[in-house]
Amino acid sequence: MNNKRRIITFGTFDVFHVGHLRILERARVLGDQLVVGVSTDSLNESKKGRPPVYPQEERAAIVAALRCVDEVFFEESLELKAEYIRLFDVDVLVMGDDWQGRFDKFSSLCEVVYLPRTPAISTTEVIEKIRY
Ligand code: C2G
């Protein structure tokens, strides 16, 4: 029997920064194994209206190399959360609090936890800083 507590989280993780690292580390300590869904380029474009800076293979490679991450897959659609929760057999869904309340409907499948975002850093701010 596998009695490990499995955690899942999702994100684009474009222009990887310390806010991304912190949420993955904080998600991981809520259990024993951390599975991360990295948004595909096309999902990111539909969510944010622009293509990511780094392509999905590179974003996924960076996330997969982290000590706190056990497994990575591509998140193809925001509508597939229930399928991913079942497929990866997870106990907890963790999201940043910018998504507060948005995933409560999955609480019949697993525990749903929102963690506070790291203040004062975002991919958009990093891009702006480099640009000017
Ligand atoms: N994050 C954070 N602190 C920041 C910036 C981001 O804790 N300063 C968290 C976000 O709350 C999110 C994760 O890092 O949980 C990934 O952030 P994004 O790459 O911006 O992810 P997003 O595009 O919101 O994708 O299915 C849900 C989506 O795929 C989430």
Side-chain angles (χ1 to χ4, degrees), residues 36-55:
V36 184
V38 173
S39 308
T40 58
D41 295 339
S42 63
L43 174 55
N44 186 69
E45 201 151 354
S46 69
K47 270 192 308 193
K48 303 199 174 165
R50 59 166 171 80
V53 175
Y54 295 141

Side-chain angles (χ1 to χ4, degrees), residues 9-14 17-24 26 37-39 43-44 47-48 75 77-78 81 94-99 103 115-123:
T9 193
F10 296 87
T12 309
F13 305 105
D14 193 23
H17 59 66
V18 77
H20 296 143
L21 178 64
R22 295 287 177 245
I23 198 157
L24 294 172
R26 286 180 293 151
V38 173
S39 308
L43 174 55
N44 186 69
K47 270 192 308 193
K48 303 199 174 165
E75 179 188 27
S77 160
L78 293 180
K81 290 247 167 13
V94 172
M95 292 301 302
D97 63 2
D98 43 330
W99 293 89
F103 300 116
L115 296 177
R117 280 168 66 94
T118 300
I121 187 151
S122 72
T123 297

Side-chain angles (χ1 to χ4, degrees), residues 36-40 56-57 59-60 72-77 84:
V36 184
V38 173
S39 308
T40 58
Q56 61 192 51
E57 286 73 19
R59 291 183 285 109
V72 168
F73 67 98
F74 287 117
E75 179 188 27
E76 306 273 352
S77 160
Y84 295 134

